[in-house]
C-alpha cells in the first residue's frame, strides 16, 4: 500500500512547549498528588523533584536525537538508525503499547472528575458502564480533532494549556492564604511515614506525568525549525513541570483536613487511605472549605485531560507510521490524508486498540497508569544507547544540539531509567515486560511474511536479555518493591545499576553502520 500525503510543518516553539507541557500537566496534577502522597506522605514532594530530575536527564539525551533526526514516532526511529530493524521494532512496540494505553487513562480521568457532578458515571472509585461509554465517546472526539489537522490540534493545545494554569495558580494561592495545616508535615508518622522506599515508589508514579515531555519529539517532523526548537521545548517543559508539581504537592499535603475527608473513606493520619479519593485535589479543596476553588478544579478536571488526550491519540498512529516504514507494522498506518496531512486510517485503527485497553482494564486508572509507565520507561531507556551508538556510527552528521558530557550523561540516563523500572514493583513489572516481549513474536510474524529479516536480531539480542534481566531483578528484589527479598534493600539498587551498565556497554557495541537513506 503506497504512502500518500505529507506531514504538514505547522508547529513553532510555543506550540511544541504547549503540546508537551499540556500533556505533562494533564490528569496528573489532578489525580497523582493523592496517589503519590498515599505512598510517600509529605515526603512525596521529593518524589516529584527526583522524578523530574531523572526525566530531565533522559530528555537531554532525546534533545540531541530529536534535533538531529526529527521524525514521526521518533522514539521508534532512533533505535532503528542505530541498531537496525529488530531493535527499532522493539522500541516502537513498547512506545506503541504505552501510547495506546494513555488515551483511555486520560478519558477515565475526565469521567472520574465528571462523576462528582453526575454520580451515575462512577462506581466504587472507578467508572460505571455509562462512564465507560462516555470515555469511548471522548476517545472518538479527540480522534476526529486529530483527523482535521495538526494546525487545529495545536490551537486546541495552546488554549487548553493556558487555561489549565488558571486553576493551578488559584489553588496554590487559596491554600497558602486560608488552608495550611502545618501539622500534616510532622504528625501522622512524620515527614516520611513509609521511609525511603515510599519516596521511591512515589517517584515511579510521578514518571507517568513527566513522560509527556516526549510529545514534541513525536510531532518533530511537523515542527517549523526542529533543530532549534525541539531541544528548547523538551528542557523548558521538564523544568516548568518540576516547579509546578513541587508546588502542587506541597499545597495538597498542607490543605488536607483529615476529619472533613472521613466521609470519603479517608482515615485521619493514614496516608494510604488517600487512594480512596476519586478526585483527590478537588476533594481536598472542597473539604478545606475552598468552595469556589473546588468548583474551578472540578471544571478543570473535566476539561484539562482532553488536552494531553488529544496529542496522545495523535501520537499512537505516528509511532505506528515509523514502524510501518520499517516493515513491522501494517502498512495502513502509512497512509496520510492528501489534504489534511494526518494518518486518518491509522487513527481509526488506533481508536479500536485504545477502546480495547479501556475495556480489558475495566477503566482502572492506577492499573492503566502503571502499565503506561513501564512500557515508556523501556522505550526511553533505549534512547541513551541509541545516542551513544550514533555518535560512533554517524560522527559527521550535523547536530544542531550536542549533549555536553555525553559519556557520563548517557549511561546515567540508562541506569536511572532502569531504576525507575525497578521501582514500579513486582509483579506488574514482570507482567508488563512480558507484554513487551510479545513484540518478539510480532517481529517473527513479519519475518515469516518476508517483510523483516533475522539478520538484525543479533544486534538487538541485548535488549531482549535486558528485559528478562530486569524482570528477574524485580522478582528477586526487596519486598518493599514487591519482590521475594533475596536481594535486600539498597543492594537491589546496586544490582540494578551494575547490571544496567553491563547492558549499556553491550548495547553500544552492537550498532549497525549508519545509512543516511534510512534517516
Amino acid at each position: 500500500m503506497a504512502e500518500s500525503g505529507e506531514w504538514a510543518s505547522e508547529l513553532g516553539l510555543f506550540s511544541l512547549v504547549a503540546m508537551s507541557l499540556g500533556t505533562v500537566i494533564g490528569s496528573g496534577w489532578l489525580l497523582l498528588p493523592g496517589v503519590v502522597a498515599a505512598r510517600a506522605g509529605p515526603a512525596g514532594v521529593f518524589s516529584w523533584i527526583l522524578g523530574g530530575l531523572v526525566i530531565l536527564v533522559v530528555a537531554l539525551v532525546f534533545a540531541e536525537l530529536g534535533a538531529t533526526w526529527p521524525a514521526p514516532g521518533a522514539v521508534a526511529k532512533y533505535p532503528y538508525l542505530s541498531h537496525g530493524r529488530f531493535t527499532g521494532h522493539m522500541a516502537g512496540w513498547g512506545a506503541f503499547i504505552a501510547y495506546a494505553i494513555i488515551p483511555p487513562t486520560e478519558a477515565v480521568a475526565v469521567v472520574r472528575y465528571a462523576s462528582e457532578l453526575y454520580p451515575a458515571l462512577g462506581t466504587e472509585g472507578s467508572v460505571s458502564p455509562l462512564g465507560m461509554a462516555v470515555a469511548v465517546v471522548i476517545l472518538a472526539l479527540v480522534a476526529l480533532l486529530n483527523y482535521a489537522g495538526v494546525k487545529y490540534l495545536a490551537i486546541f493545545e495552546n488554549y487548553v494549556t493556558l487555561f489549565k494554569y488558571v486553576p493551578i495558580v488559584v489553588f496554590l494561592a487559596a491554600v497558602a492564604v486560608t488552608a495550611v495545616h502545618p501539622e500534616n508535615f510532622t504528625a501522622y508518622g512524620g515527614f516520611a511515614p513509609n521511609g525511603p522506599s515510599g519516596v521511591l515508589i512515589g517517584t515511579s508514579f510521578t514518571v507517568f506525568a513527566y513522560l509527556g515531555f516526549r510529545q514534541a519529539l513525536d510531532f518533530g517532523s511537523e515542527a517549523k525549525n526542529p533543530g532549534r526548537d525541539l531541544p528548547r521545548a523538551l528542557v523548558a517543559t521538564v523544568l516548568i513541570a518540576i516547579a509546578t508539581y513541587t508546588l502542587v504537592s506541597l499545597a495538597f499535603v498542607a490543605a488536607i483536613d483529615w476529619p472533613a475527608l472521613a466521609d470519603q473513606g479517608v482515615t485521619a493520619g493514614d496516608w494510604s487511605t488517600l487512594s480512596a479519593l476519586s478526585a483527590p485535589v478537588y476533594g481536598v479543596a472542597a473539604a478545606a472549605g475552598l468552595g469556589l476553588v473546588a468548583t474551578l478544579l472540578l471544571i478543570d478536571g473535566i476539561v484539562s485531560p482532553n488536552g494531553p488526550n488529544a496529542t496522545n491519540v495523535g501520537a499512537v498512529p505516528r509511532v505506528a507510521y515509523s514502524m510501518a516504514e520499517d516493515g513491522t507494522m501494517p502498512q495502513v498506518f502509512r497512509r496520510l490524508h492528501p489534504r489534511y496531512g494526518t494518518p486518518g486510517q491509522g487513527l481509526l485503527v488506533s481508536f479500536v486498540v485504545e477502546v480495547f485497553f479501556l475495556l480489558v482494564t475495566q477503566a482502572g486508572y492506577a492499573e492503566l497508569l502503571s502499565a503506561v509507565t513501564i512500557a515508556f520507561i523501556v522505550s526511553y531507556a533505549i534512547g541513551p544507547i541509541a545516542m551513544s551508538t550514533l555518535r560512533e556510527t554517524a560522527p559527521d552528521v550535523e547536530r544542531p544540539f550536542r549533549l555536553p558530557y555525553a559519556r557520563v550523561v548517557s549511561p546515567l540516563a540508562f541506569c536511572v531509567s532502569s531504576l525507575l523500572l525497578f521501582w514500579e514493583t513486582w509483579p506488574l513489572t514482570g507482567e508488563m515486560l512480558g507484554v513487551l516481549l510479545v513484540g518478539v513474536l510480532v517481529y517473527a510474524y513479519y519475518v515469516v511474511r518476508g517483510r523483516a529479516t533475522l539478520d538484525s536480531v543479533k544486534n538487538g539480542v541485548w535488549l531482549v536479555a535486558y528485559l528478562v534481566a530486569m524482570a528477574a531483578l524485580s522478582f528477586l528484589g526487596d519486598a518493599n518493591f514487591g519482590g521475594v527479598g533475596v536481594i535486600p534493600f539498597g543492594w537491589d539498587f546496586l544490582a540494578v545499576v551494575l547490571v544496567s551498565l553491563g547492558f549499556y556497554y553491550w548495547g553500544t557495541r552492537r550498532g549497525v553502520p549508519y545509512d543516511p537513506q534510512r534517516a
Side-chain angles (χ1 to χ4, degrees), residues 405-499:
Y405 307 106
R407 291 183 180 275
V408 175
V409 177
S410 188
L412 176 62
F414 185 73
C415 288
V416 296
S417 295
S418 298
L419 286 170
L420 287 173
L421 182 60
F422 178 79
W423 296 337
E424 284 295 327
T425 73
W426 181 272
L428 187 60
T429 45
E431 294 169 356
M432 198 59 204
L433 289 172
V435 171
L436 295 178
L437 287 172
V438 171
V440 176
L441 301 179
V442 175
Y443 188 82
Y445 167 79
Y446 283 106
V447 170
V448 173
R449 292 287 304 273
R451 286 170 52 189
T453 60
L454 288 173
D455 61 335
S456 68
V457 173
K458 64 179 182 295
N459 298 100
V461 170
W462 64 269
L463 177 56
V464 177
Y466 169 73
L467 296 179
V468 174
M470 290 305 301
L473 286 172
S474 182
F475 172 73
L476 296 172
D478 189 79
N480 284 311
F481 301 98
V484 296
V486 173
I487 308 175
F489 182 80
W491 291 102
D492 48 2
F493 297 171
L494 178 61
V496 169
V497 170
L498 292 177
V499 169

Side-chain angles (χ1 to χ4, degrees), residues 7 19 23 96 98-107 135-147 153 157 214-215 218-219 305-320 333 342-344 346-355:
W7 298 106
M19 293 176 76
T23 304
F96 178 78
Y99 275 126
I101 300 175
I102 291 179
T105 307
E106 298 290 358
V136 172
V137 171
I138 292 171
L139 293 174
L141 290 175
V142 292
L144 288 173
L145 175 63
N146 273 275
Y147 179 77
L153 176 63
E157 287 297 331
R214 86 227 168 255
Q215 288 294 2
D218 289 311
F219 288 82
N306 291 300
N309 207 1
T311 51
N312 284 315
V313 164
V316 180
R318 283 167 171 80
V319 171
F333 285 106
T342 55
L347 283 165
L348 178 60
V349 176
S350 301
F351 169 74
V352 174
V353 175
E354 291 153 13
V355 172

Side-chain angles (χ1 to χ4, degrees), residues 240-273:
I240 295 172
I242 291 174
T244 301
Y245 276 116
T246 298
L247 292 173
V248 169
S249 175
L250 288 170
F252 177 81
V253 171
I256 295 174
D257 186 335
W258 295 97
L261 291 170
D263 62 345
Q264 298 185 54
V266 175
T267 302
D270 186 349
W271 294 96
S272 65
T273 58

Side-chain angles (χ1 to χ4, degrees), residues 81-120:
L81 292 175
S82 63
H83 288 80
R85 183 171 292 169
F86 176 72
T87 309
H89 165 78
M90 290 299 295
W93 178 256
F96 178 78
I97 294 297
Y99 275 126
I101 300 175
I102 291 179
T105 307
E106 298 290 358
V108 167
V110 173
V111 174
R112 283 180 59 170
Y113 261 77
S115 67
E116 296 291 334
L117 290 176
Y118 304 100

Side-chain angles (χ1 to χ4, degrees), residues 51-246:
L53 293 177
V54 166
I55 292 301
L56 180 61
V57 174
V58 178
L60 287 171
V61 169
F62 280 96
E64 176 173 320
L65 292 169
T68 308
W69 294 281
V75 174
K77 188 70 174 180
Y78 308 137
Y80 174 69
L81 292 175
S82 63
H83 288 80
R85 183 171 292 169
F86 176 72
T87 309
H89 165 78
M90 290 299 295
W93 178 256
F96 178 78
I97 294 297
Y99 275 126
I101 300 175
I102 291 179
T105 307
E106 298 290 358
V108 167
V110 173
V111 174
R112 283 180 59 170
Y113 261 77
S115 67
E116 296 291 334
L117 290 176
Y118 304 100
L121 297 176
T123 174
E124 297 181 359
S126 185
V127 300
S128 66
L130 176 60
M132 295 273 277
V134 172
V136 172
V137 171
I138 292 171
L139 293 174
L141 290 175
V142 292
L144 288 173
L145 175 63
N146 273 275
Y147 179 77
V150 71
K151 178 175 71 174
Y152 300 105
L153 176 63
I155 293 172
F156 178 75
E157 287 297 331
N158 291 347
Y159 282 108
V160 170
T161 301
L162 289 173
F163 168 77
K164 70 178 57 180
Y165 263 90
V166 173
I168 290 175
V169 173
V170 171
F171 173 68
L172 294 175
V175 170
V177 173
T178 64
V180 174
H181 298 85
E183 67 276 9
N184 287 342
F185 292 93
T186 55
Y188 314 119
F191 185 73
N194 295 320
S197 62
V199 174
L200 297 177
I201 293 173
T203 299
S204 71
F205 281 94
T206 70
V207 172
F208 170 77
Y210 289 126
L211 288 178
F213 83 85
R214 86 227 168 255
Q215 288 294 2
L217 285 171
D218 289 311
F219 288 82
S221 60
E222 293 149 279
K224 296 176 182 177
N225 191 340
R228 180 195 66 188
D229 292 341
L230 277 177
R232 295 179 180 181
L234 296 178
V235 174
T237 296
V238 177
L239 292 178
I240 295 172
I242 291 174
T244 301
Y245 276 116
T246 298

Side-chain angles (χ1 to χ4, degrees), residues 83 385 388-389 406-408 410-412 414-415 462 497-511:
H83 288 80
I385 294 179
S388 294
T389 302
R407 291 183 180 275
V408 175
S410 188
L412 176 62
F414 185 73
C415 288
W462 64 269
V497 170
L498 292 177
V499 169
S500 297
L501 287 174
F503 279 105
Y504 174 83
Y505 290 109
W506 181 11
T508 55
R509 283 159 175 74
R510 297 306 305 170

